[in-house]
Amino acid sequence: MVPFTLVLIALVVALGGFVYGVDSGIIATTLAHDTFKYAMLGPTGTNAALTGAIVSLYNVGQAFGTFGAGYSANKFSRRWTICASAMIAIVGATLQTAAVNAGMMIFGRFLAGMGCGILLAVVPTYIAEISPPQHRGMIVGLQGFMIAIGFFIANWIGYGGAYAKGDAQWRIPLAMQIPGPIALALGCYFIPYSPRWLVRQERYEEAHAVLTTLHGDDEEAVARELAEIRHHIQAEMARGPSFKESLTNLLSRRYVHRTSMACFLLVMGQFSGSSVIQNYQSSFYAAVGFTGKTSLLISGIYGIMGVIGQVIYLFFAADRWPRTRTLWVGSVFLSVMIAICMALSAFYGDADTGNISGARAAIAMIFLYSCGYAVFFNATIWVVPSEILPFSLRATGMGLAVFCKSISAIILSQITPTALQNVGWRYYSLFIATNLAAAFVYFFLLPETSGKTLEEIEELFGDTVVADREAKFHDGDQATVKTPEPKSSHVESVV
């Protein structure tokens, strides 16, 4: 049974996922409003390059934010880094709401992206460090659930905006980006520090208190975990890696496998086609004959599918399905859905065909794609990177992975408008190929991590775990760990 306090803390922090979901999702319906197009894109209401810039500068901001995410999380704590990033997101959303030209809109999107880039790196790091191994998939998966909720709400906010008049059609929806980060910033005052970070600061009594909160009344488990954390982090402190050395270590021969897998997972979150379909779904719907309010209504229903998929993941898949199998099976599933959608778009994408059933079938495939992505990927791509990276490199490594994700999103957001104009439904073939390639990578190169402690995951990548998990307890709450001499002086801490 997962302690209620742990779930509550994780939900507060997972608001970072909600902020990202709303900020990312709201642009799809915003681009569908004619009033927005004429206000930002010029008198014709069409400008593929500027449309791509409005979308991609959000991703540029994400990439920029990741540069300081690891350093800030390690120095100032995961807790206050999350709070600061929420503040940045508030400023970005405010600028978008008040935008009087495309430049102001783009700068607002950039700041919102910067805040979300930090959140995407630090939120799963924090949640992974407070989660027990048997429930880590579900607890960290709450971030993916909140992302889906954010997308869902953003789509319906955008649909509601269609019933407003003038610029209120898009200003009011953009203003709805503000409540989420406000709630997150306030929530940061009530959540504890990461116990791992506290131990790294040698604040052992506070770490003990936090672990007690997380474990409930199981004092033995608290003492054992605290002793284990202290052992590993003290071994790490003896090496004393700097922030610069941490960046170098991520690409060293010893860590490059797990670093590359963490980056690959988040990059494939983009090249699976999910972000393209989310951001440009109005264009896809138009390709099969649905425009205007009908297109916005379909977008709202599309958001529901993501929530349904996340519910399936949390209650039936998280910590029950092997992570590796979930990823490679999911990749094959997405390829099939996109292939069917591509074929339907090719045959029924011309409004002159008059085949409404074929167009509806194409939309159904997009809906099934959305649900499948939520089940197989929306949470898993955040769970696995947060657990395969060692403590000393976790925040920095997640920052690098989010940076790679952002760069891939920038590329896609720039080429997608032009690709849709020039090749139409054939653009789907890119994502069929990338998903099939990813399935092979997951099957052959990604070790299975579900149900394992962070220390056991260390062994999967060839490291020797030097901590003896057996502890003796004294005075009811003190523990000492019998630690044998390491077989090698090359010891990694994964906590």
Side-chain angles (χ1 to χ4, degrees):
M1 187 68 179
V2 184
F4 174 76
T5 302
L6 174 59
V7 174
L8 185 60
I9 293 170
L11 281 172
V12 170
V13 178
L15 281 171
F18 176 82
V19 172
Y20 168 70
V22 173
D23 285 15
S24 300
I26 201 66
I27 197 62
T29 53
T30 300
L31 291 172
H33 291 302
D34 289 337
T35 51
F36 177 84
K37 293 176 183 177
Y38 293 127
M40 297 294 159
L41 304 181
T44 63
T46 58
N47 188 323
L50 195 53
T51 299
I54 291 173
V55 176
S56 66
L57 262 293
Y58 175 79
N59 297 307
V60 172
Q62 279 190 30
F64 189 85
T66 61
F67 286 122
Y71 175 80
S72 177
N74 289 331
K75 184 173 181 61
F76 303 111
S77 82
R78 283 82 162 111
R79 176 189 182 186
W80 296 124
T81 299
I82 291 171
C83 183
S85 59
M87 297 292 189
I88 296 173
I90 292 170
V91 175
T94 302
L95 289 174
Q96 292 172 61
T97 303
V100 295
N101 53 48
M104 188 172 176
M105 173 61 64
I106 289 172
F107 185 58
R109 292 294 293 169
F110 173 82
L111 287 180
M114 186 168 70
C116 287
I118 300 171
L119 287 173
L120 290 176
V122 183
V123 165
T125 296
Y126 176 95
I127 300 178
E129 291 178 357
I130 67 171
S131 302
Q134 67 272 25
H135 300 301
R136 191 184 306 118
M138 187 196 77
I139 300 299
V140 180
L142 288 174
Q143 181 189 9
F145 177 71
M146 294 301 283
I147 290 174
I149 293 291
F151 278 132
F152 166 71
I153 291 178
N155 285 333
W156 284 104
I157 288 173
Y159 176 68
Y163 292 91
K165 301 295 183 182
D167 287 351
Q169 287 186 328
W170 54 272
R171 291 194 190 276
I172 293 176
L174 289 176
M176 293 299 101
Q177 296 175 98
I178 299 174
I182 288 178
L184 176 60
L186 293 175
C188 287
Y189 284 89
F190 300 98
I191 63 173
Y193 291 101
S194 162
R196 268 83 175 171
W197 183 83
L198 287 171
V199 170
R200 182 65 177 82
Q201 307 302 312
E202 300 183 0
R203 293 158 62 172
Y204 302 122
E205 292 184 3
E206 292 180 63
H208 183 276
V210 172
L211 289 172
T212 300
T213 300
L214 299 177
H215 285 288
D217 297 328
D218 192 345
E219 184 60 34
E220 182 176 339
V222 170
R224 181 183 297 111
E225 184 170 0
L226 180 59
E228 190 171 299
I229 292 172
R230 287 185 64 172
H231 171 83
H232 281 273
I233 293 183
Q234 285 170 356
E236 176 184 281
M237 290 173 65
R239 297 191 301 274
S242 65
F243 177 69
K244 181 178 179 180
E245 290 171 333
S246 294
L247 290 174
T248 303
N249 286 340
L250 283 171
L251 301 178
S252 67
R253 182 176 180 181
R254 182 179 184 186
Y255 298 117
V256 69
H257 181 191
R258 63 195 82 180
T259 301
S260 59
M261 289 309 305
C263 294
F264 182 80
L265 280 159
L266 292 190
V267 167
M268 275 310 303
Q270 302 298 307
F271 275 92
S272 65
S274 62
S275 63
V276 169
I277 291 175
Q278 170 62 34
N279 291 335
Y280 296 99
Q281 55 186 292
S282 60
S283 298
F284 288 121
Y285 302 148
V288 291
F290 296 107
T291 58
K293 289 183 180 178
T294 302
S295 174
L296 292 173
L297 179 60
I298 295 173
S299 295
I301 300 172
Y302 171 89
I304 295 175
M305 301 306 297
V307 175
I308 292 173
Q310 274 299 137
V311 171
I312 293 173
Y313 169 81
L314 289 176
F315 289 97
F316 300 102
D319 301 309
R320 292 180 177 85
W321 295 356
R323 312 245 207 274
T324 302
R325 188 188 305 167
T326 297
L327 289 166
W328 74 258
V329 170
S331 295
V332 173
F333 175 84
L334 295 190
S335 291
V336 172
M337 291 300 100
I338 295 174
I340 296 174
C341 189
M342 177 177 167
L344 290 170
S345 297
F347 284 100
Y348 305 115
D350 188 349
D352 294 335
T353 63
N355 192 319
I356 193 66
S357 296
R360 286 173 176 169
I363 300 300
M365 291 305 104
I366 291 179
F367 283 8
L368 288 176
Y369 172 94
S370 174
C371 185
Y373 181 83
V375 172
F376 295 109
F377 293 98
N378 204 39
T380 311
I381 61 172
W382 299 105
V383 174
V384 176
S386 68
E387 62 187 6
I388 65 176
L389 294 166
F391 174 80
S392 62
L393 305 179
R394 188 170 296 130
T396 306
M398 284 299 296
L400 177 61
V402 174
F403 174 80
C404 293
K405 165 197 170 297
S406 302
I407 295 299
S408 60
I410 292 168
I411 295 171
L412 289 174
S413 61
Q414 282 295 313
I415 68 174
T416 295
T418 303
L420 291 175
Q421 283 185 352
N422 291 281
V423 299
W425 55 265
R426 296 173 183 82
Y427 186 47
Y428 284 109
S429 60
L430 169 65
F431 305 110
I432 296 173
T434 53
N435 278 300
L436 288 177
F440 283 95
V441 173
Y442 298 139
F443 187 86
F444 291 106
L445 299 179
L446 182 64
E448 180 54 51
T449 59
S450 59
K452 300 182 184 296
T453 66
L454 296 176
E455 289 70 37
E456 290 170 337
I457 292 172
E458 184 178 348
E459 293 181 295
L460 295 176
F461 292 92
D463 290 334
T464 301
V465 178
V466 301
D468 185 347
R469 296 173 61 85
E470 295 297 326
K472 291 184 178 181
F473 303 96
H474 303 281
D475 301 324
D477 63 352
Q478 300 296 317
T480 58
V481 179
K482 291 184 176 181
T483 306
E485 290 296 322
K487 296 179 181 179
S488 170
S489 59
H490 193 48
V491 180
E492 174 193 351
S493 168
V494 180
V495 183

